[in-house]
Amino acid sequence: MYEVLAEVVRNGFPESLHYGSVAGLAPDGSLAHIRGNPEETVLPRSTTKPFQAAACLAAGAPLAGERLAIAAGSHTGEDFHVKTVEAILGDAGLDAAALRCPPTWPEDEPTKEALIRAGERESRERMNCSGKHAAMLAACAANGWPAETYLDPGHPLQRLVRRTMADCSGEEPSPVAVDGCGAPLFGLTLTGLARAAQSLVRAQDGPRRAVADAMRAHPEHVGGTGHVNTELMRALPGSVAKGGAEGVLVAATAHGHAVAVKVIDGSPRATTAIALSALAALGADIDPAAELGTVPVLGGGRRVGEIRTVPEGSQ
């Protein structure tokens, strides 16, 4: 059974509800916060990018700093993101034509408007998954693997991604689906996803530690200007946060608290607030990120309500 995790309140009237599940781990790894059914398998969508980046790094892709952060991120398509993606591809002897993610407009609205005014079109490098795809191509170049089929689930890189996710989560990923960007997508339980997130902040060395350090040092490459993942990591130094489509999000603190969230209606608008509430229930200090704990509801351009979390047992 799913639980009510958040409610939308407009002028004091409860307008909508968000149901879902949460798995929360204490720093010792125990499952200490449960909402709904955290043992149900979900498709983790872009929350898997840090683990895909770790697999690329383990395969020998020359990624560090901003390049590793964008490999683990869902960027907003700003110019500095595109330059980083192009740099990864260039060092691999490739260009944007090698990317197999679909062409899109950038998610950053000012950038999109500027491109339209300039007569530009949608492009693959502006797609929010292009950093991950560039990293995958870099791993192929480092190993002499075929670049044309890097999205095939049987490709050596994708087999490594699946093994990496199994190692991080402590469970065998299943089922195998196709993500929105075309990459293989491996299912996990929310508890397994929370364990994977915790493995990033608990790693002392190796690819996982490198990915976590890059995300923390360059949060603007994990998201972008004003992106909630970026702002959450800035507000809670040492933390990692990564959202995904269809209402999925993972977050882990520097002290090892970790949560995985799935909102069953697929909306991401309350996931950060839900994650922060779960981290607080685990004993984490989330005060520096307090303003992210609710989302304004507007009427006529002014705030008339909020999206807020619903405490356990209140429904």
Side-chain angles (χ1 to χ4, degrees):
M1 292 290 292
Y2 304 116
E3 290 188 32
V4 178
L5 302 177
E7 61 182 351
V8 183
V9 180
R10 181 180 296 275
N11 295 105
F13 181 81
E15 186 175 24
S16 301
L17 298 173
H18 290 300
Y19 288 78
S21 300
V22 180
L25 304 181
D28 66 2
S30 62
L31 184 61
H33 181 71
I34 298 172
R35 302 289 300 272
N37 181 11
E39 300 307 318
E40 183 177 52
T41 297
V42 302
L43 294 177
R45 304 301 297 270
S46 285
T47 65
T48 61
K49 284 180 179 174
F51 317 110
Q52 292 166 320
C56 291
L57 198 60
L63 302 170
E66 297 170 352
R67 298 185 186 189
L68 186 52
I70 206 167
S74 296
H75 66 78
T76 51
E78 296 166 73
D79 290 346
F80 69 91
H81 293 135
V82 171
K83 289 179 180 178
T84 305
V85 170
E86 289 175 342
I88 296 172
L89 292 170
D91 282 357
L94 301 167
D95 59 25
L99 296 169
R100 294 292 180 263
C101 54
T104 68
W105 291 111
E107 292 183 8
D108 182 69
E109 285 296 327
T111 302
K112 177 181 177 180
E113 292 168 5
L115 291 172
I116 292 173
R117 287 195 299 268
E120 298 288 341
R121 296 184 176 183
E122 297 172 314
S123 65
R124 297 182 191 278
E125 59 267 37
R126 298 282 177 179
M127 200 267 175
N128 70 347
C129 298
S130 66
K132 173 183 79 176
H133 283 251
M136 289 180 173
L137 286 165
C140 290
N143 290 276
W145 292 334
E148 297 78 12
T149 57
Y150 76 94
L151 297 183
D152 188 321
H155 190 280
L157 175 61
Q158 300 304 337
R159 294 201 302 268
L160 178 57
V161 168
R162 189 170 188 173
R163 290 199 302 272
T164 300
M165 290 182 61
D167 290 343
C168 292
S169 67
E171 59 187 48
E172 184 59 32
S174 181
V176 180
V178 180
D179 212 337
C181 66
L185 176 64
F186 305 108
L188 292 173
T189 67
L190 273 186
T191 301
L193 191 55
R195 279 196 297 265
Q198 189 178 62
S199 77
L200 294 173
V201 296
R202 295 178 68 179
Q204 297 300 306
D205 52 27
R208 278 179 262 180
R209 175 59 184 265
V211 169
D213 284 349
M215 293 174 70
R216 293 182 285 214
H218 304 283
E220 71 283 354
H221 282 76
V222 178
T225 303
H227 193 285
V228 68
N229 290 171
T230 299
E231 296 306 314
L232 178 56
M233 286 190 285
R234 284 178 173 160
L236 300 179
S239 67
V240 297
K242 186 68 195 74
E246 297 301 325
V248 188
L249 183 140
V250 296
T253 71
H255 296 290
H257 311 88
V259 297
V261 175
K262 168 65 178 179
V263 173
I264 201 61
D265 62 22
S267 172
R269 60 182 177 175
T271 53
T272 298
I274 294 166
L276 285 170
S277 177
L279 288 172
L282 291 166
D285 178 12
I286 62 156
D287 286 348
E291 68 178 43
L292 300 176
T294 59
V295 181
V297 169
L298 303 181
R302 62 185 180 87
R303 184 168 181 156
V304 297
E306 63 184 15
I307 304 171
R308 62 194 184 197
T309 57
V310 175
E312 187 176 8
S314 64
Q315 289 286 326

